[in-house]
Amino acid sequence: MMGDAESCSSRVFNYGWNNGNHIIKVEAYNEVVNRLRELNEPEVDVPGFEDELWVHFNRLPTRYVRYALDMKVERAKDVLMHKRLLHMAGASAIAIGPAIEVRPVQVRSASGVHRINSLHSNSQREISPQDSDIPGNMRHDHLKLATHEITISTNDKPKLFRQLTSLLSETGLDIQEAHAFSTLDGYSLDVFVVGGWAVEETEKLKHVLTRKIHRLEKQHWLKERNSLPMKKLEQTGINFNYVNLSSRGNNALEIDASCLRYEKQIASGSFSDVYKGTYHNQDVAIKVLKNGNLNENIPREFAQEVFILSKIQHKNVIELIGACTKPPNLYIVTEYMSGGCMYDFLHMQKGILTLPSLLKVAIDVSEGLSYLHQNDIIHRDLKASNLLMGEKGVVKIADFGVARLLDPAGIMTAETGTYRWMAPEVIEHKPYSHKADIFSFGIILWELLTGKLPYENLTPLQAAIGVVQKGLRPEIPRDTHPKLVELLHHCWHQDPSFRPDFSEILKFLQHISNMVEGKRKLVSCVEATPT
C-alpha cells in the first residue's frame, strides 16, 4: 500500500526523464533496493514494496538530491526507518504527536566547532558547544556521554527547524550536525547528530524529546484543527478516537483483545502484521498495527478500513468479524482465508489457472467490485496480493486501507495504489472515478492469464511513465481467448469513459464462461460417441 503521499511520477515528468538530479535519485533508489535484498530484509518481499520505496524517494523534491546521495548503500536500512517515520507522521492529525527515533551512533571526533546544514534555508551556520549547556547531573563524566542520532518527522510548518534546534539545545544536547528535509506533501524529516547524553539512557532521551515535541505539535495542531483537510475527514463520518461498529448489529462488535488467540504470522508489512488465529474457536485473520499504543500515531488507514468493512457485506468481499479500536489494542479481525492470496499462488507457488478456473476467479472479483461500486466505494489498490482464496475456491477482495467513498466531484488523492496496477489518470494526478478500479482489474486479469508480474522487466517508475506517456500495456499471449483479449483492451483503455462498468464486465465474463462450458460439453459428447 502507497498511502496518501503526493509524490508522483507526474512531477518527474515535469522535471524531465533525463534531468541530472532525477538520474541520481533513480541510481540511489536502485542501490538501496539491491542492498536491502542482499541484507535479506523481510520488508523487501512484501508485494508493492518497491513502489512504496520509490514514493518515499519522490516525496523529497528533486533539488534535495543530497538525500539520495547520502541514502545509498551504506545507509540503506536507514531509508526504511525514514519511510516508517514519515508514514507515522502522516497520522499526526489524528493522534497529535511526532514520530521520533533515537539511537546511539559512532562518529569520528571533530574539532570543537561543528557545522549545521539546514536544507530548509540552504544556509550553514557554526556553533561552539558549551559545557554549561550540559545538565548538571551529566557533567561529571564526559567519557560516558555518547553521540546520538535523532530523527524526527512531523507536520512541516514555518520555523519548525529553528524550534526543534532550540528544543534540543534546551534539553542540554550539543548539536554536531543537522539535516532538514521538507516533503512535497507537507511533512518534515529532520536528522540531528547530538552529544551530551549518556548512552545508557537512550530510551529516556527518546521519552524526554517525545514529550517535549508532543507539546510543540499539540500547540500547532490546536490552531489548525479547523483546517479544510480535517473538516473533510470529519465529513466522512469517521470518529478517529473510536470507530463505532454497532451499526451492523451483533455480527460486528468491538472485540475484547483477550479473547484473541494467535497461532502464526502469515504476512508482514511496514506498518502492520497479519496473524492466523482464533476468536471464540473461529479461525480468523488478525491485522495488528505496529507502534499502535497511546504514545504513537494511529494510521488514518486503520479507521478508514474498519469504517468501510463495517458497512459492507458480500460473498466476494472479506468479512469483518470485529475490531479492537481502543489504543493500545488496534486490531482488525476478519474471516480467515485458508487458500492465501492470489499473488502467492501465481508468483510464489507458480500456480496455473485453467481457463474455466480463471473465469471463475474473474467473475468472483467482478461481483465483489460491482457491489462496492454500487455502494460508491472505490478500492484504489486492486492487485493479486489483495485477492484472497477460500477452501471452496471462492475469491474475496481484501485490504481496504486506502479504499474511499466516491467523491462526486472527482477530487480524490492522487497516486494512490501500486504503480504496476495503477490507472494513468491516477498517476497523472487527474480527477478519477471508479473507472480507475476497472483499469487495475484489467491488469489483474492479465496477471491471471500469464502468472507473471506486470512489466516485470521494468522498474515500477518506468512502468508508470510508459503507461502514461506511451500507452504501454502488458503483452497479451497469442493463445488468449479472443473475447478475453477484447475485454482486456476495454478495461485498460487510456480514456476512462471507454472502460465498461463491472455490471457489463460480469455479463461479458459469464458469456465467455458459457461459451467455454458449451464447447467443453460438445467435445466430451463427441469423444463419448462410439465410432
Side-chain angles (χ1 to χ4, degrees):
M1 170 181 83
M2 283 191 184
D4 291 340
E6 181 186 356
S7 54
C8 111
S9 50
S10 64
R11 293 183 183 273
V12 176
F13 302 154
N14 294 332
Y15 291 130
W17 180 250
N18 293 318
N19 180 279
N21 286 348
H22 175 69
I23 292 174
I24 292 173
K25 188 180 290 185
V26 171
E27 290 176 348
Y29 162 81
N30 288 331
E31 287 186 25
V32 168
V33 170
N34 292 334
R35 179 55 176 164
L36 292 174
R37 291 193 186 283
E38 291 174 4
L39 295 171
N40 294 317
E41 286 292 323
E43 192 171 336
V44 179
D45 296 324
V46 175
F49 168 77
E50 291 186 11
D51 302 84
E52 291 183 1
L53 188 67
W54 179 248
V55 166
H56 170 72
F57 271 88
N58 272 294
R59 291 183 76 176
L60 299 161
T62 304
R63 68 180 181 274
Y64 286 170
V65 70
R66 195 198 309 162
Y67 181 84
L69 291 172
D70 287 349
M71 297 301 128
K72 284 193 175 183
V73 175
E74 295 80 5
R75 302 194 67 182
K77 294 182 72 171
D78 289 356
V79 174
L80 296 182
M81 182 258 288
H82 294 162
K83 178 170 160 288
R84 174 176 60 86
L85 292 180
L86 279 169
H87 179 86
M88 292 168 62
S92 61
I94 303 167
I96 320 175
I100 181 170
E101 182 72 29
V102 180
R103 61 184 182 181
V105 293
Q106 291 183 343
V107 180
R108 293 179 181 177
S109 59
S111 62
V113 176
H114 306 281
R115 189 173 298 277
I116 298 179
N117 298 320
S118 169
L119 296 185
H120 279 293
S121 60
N122 292 318
S123 64
Q124 295 181 332
R125 64 187 179 88
E126 295 181 348
I127 61 171
S128 298
Q130 302 293 328
D131 286 349
S132 59
D133 291 333
I134 300 174
N137 63 339
M138 300 179 65
R139 249 182 252 145
H140 66 283
D141 192 351
H142 288 192
L143 295 178
K144 291 184 179 180
L145 299 184
T147 302
H148 286 85
E149 182 183 82
I150 301 168
T151 308
I152 303 166
S153 182
T154 186
N155 288 315
D156 204 1
K157 47 190 173 289
K159 301 181 181 180
L160 172 66
F161 184 74
R162 184 184 304 173
Q163 291 173 332
L164 292 177
T165 302
S166 299
L167 185 149
L168 295 178
S169 297
E170 292 168 2
T171 306
L173 299 171
D174 162 24
I175 302 175
Q176 301 174 3
E177 183 180 343
H179 305 275
F181 301 91
S182 294
T183 68
L184 290 169
D185 54 331
Y187 295 97
S188 67
L189 184 66
D190 299 319
V191 184
F192 298 88
V193 177
V194 303
W197 198 274
V199 66
E200 297 88 353
E201 296 187 338
T202 298
E203 284 301 314
K204 180 179 179 181
L205 175 59
K206 180 177 180 179
H207 176 73
V208 169
L209 293 177
T210 299
R211 187 177 69 249
K212 289 186 175 183
I213 301 173
H214 179 94
R215 291 174 185 163
L216 185 68
E217 191 74 2
K218 186 174 181 180
Q219 291 171 359
H220 176 75
W221 182 83
L222 289 173
K223 294 178 182 178
E224 301 296 328
R225 66 180 300 174
N226 293 320
S227 64
L228 178 60
M230 182 60 68
K231 286 182 179 179
K232 289 189 70 175
L233 287 175
E234 290 170 351
Q235 288 169 4
T236 65
I238 301 169
N239 181 344
F240 288 100
N241 295 319
Y242 177 77
V243 182
N244 187 355
L245 299 178
S246 61
S247 60
R248 250 183 54 179
N250 293 328
N251 292 327
L253 301 174
E254 182 78 16
I255 283 179
D256 182 353
S258 65
C259 296
L260 294 171
R261 299 291 180 267
Y262 298 82
E263 294 181 7
K264 62 178 180 180
Q265 183 172 316
I266 55 178
S268 180
S270 302
F271 312 108
S272 64
D273 294 320
V274 182
Y275 298 85
K276 179 184 182 295
T278 59
Y279 177 68
H280 293 319
N281 297 319
Q282 176 186 358
D283 287 340
V284 294
I286 309 167
K287 182 177 182 179
V288 182
L289 264 67
K290 297 178 180 178
N291 304 304
N293 56 57
L294 288 171
N295 295 319
E296 299 290 350
N297 295 310
I298 305 173
R300 182 190 313 262
E301 291 85 356
F302 171 81
Q304 185 73 48
E305 186 167 9
V306 175
F307 175 75
I308 287 180
L309 283 174
S310 69
K311 300 296 182 184
I312 55 179
Q313 280 184 307
H314 189 272
K315 64 184 180 67
N316 296 117
V317 177
I318 198 72
E319 181 185 356
L320 176 70
I321 305 301
C324 303
T325 64
K326 298 176 182 178
N329 300 317
L330 297 176
Y331 313 145
I332 297 176
V333 183
T334 63
E335 62 179 313
Y336 175 68
M337 301 292 284
S338 60
C341 74
M342 186 61 67
Y343 182 93
D344 287 347
F345 174 77
L346 295 173
H347 302 292
M348 305 299 182
Q349 303 171 29
K350 303 299 180 183
I352 298 175
L353 293 171
T354 62
L355 183 54
S357 297
L358 181 150
L359 291 169
K360 170 66 169 59
V361 171
I363 289 172
D364 277 2
V365 176
S366 297
E367 288 185 343
L369 288 167
S370 180
Y371 166 80
L372 292 174
H373 287 184
Q374 287 170 14
N375 286 277
D376 294 328
I377 295 170
I378 309 179
H379 188 281
R380 305 203 304 175
D381 196 19
L382 289 174
K383 53 188 176 182
S385 59
N386 287 337
L387 304 179
L388 302 181
M389 301 180 291
E391 289 182 352
K392 298 180 180 179
V394 65
V395 174
K396 300 192 179 189
I397 303 163
D399 198 341
F400 286 78
V402 297
R404 291 294 183 271
L405 297 176
L406 178 64
D407 187 329
I411 303 171
M412 304 286 284
T413 305
E415 213 180 331
T416 299
T418 310
Y419 273 140
R420 297 184 191 276
W421 291 265
M422 197 183 296
E425 64 269 22
V426 183
I427 298 172
E428 290 189 283
H429 288 200
K430 293 180 178 179
Y432 63 92
S433 67
H434 63 283
K435 293 296 184 78
D437 278 351
I438 291 163
F439 182 95
S440 301
F441 174 78
I443 302 298
I444 289 174
L445 191 56
W446 177 90
E447 204 175 355
L448 296 174
L449 277 167
T450 64
K452 296 181 180 180
L453 184 70
Y455 321 107
E456 60 184 354
N457 295 321
L458 301 176
T459 66
L461 177 66
Q462 289 171 336
I465 291 176
V467 165
V468 170
Q469 292 189 341
K470 301 178 181 179
L472 179 67
R473 300 293 185 272
E475 184 177 354
I476 303 173
R478 292 182 179 179
D479 59 350
T480 301
H481 193 290
K483 288 294 183 181
L484 281 179
V485 174
E486 182 182 346
L487 179 59
L488 283 169
H489 286 304
H490 283 306
C491 288
W492 61 39
H493 199 287
Q494 195 83 359
D495 185 342
S497 65
F498 284 95
R499 299 174 203 155
D501 291 322
F502 273 110
S503 58
E504 300 172 84
I505 293 173
L506 262 174
K507 292 178 182 178
F508 201 91
L509 287 169
Q510 287 165 347
H511 174 66
I512 301 173
S513 181
N514 291 336
M515 290 175 58
V516 171
E517 180 64 17
K519 184 177 180 180
R520 186 191 67 79
K521 288 181 178 179
L522 179 62
V523 170
S524 299
C525 182
V526 170
E527 290 176 347
T529 302
T531 57

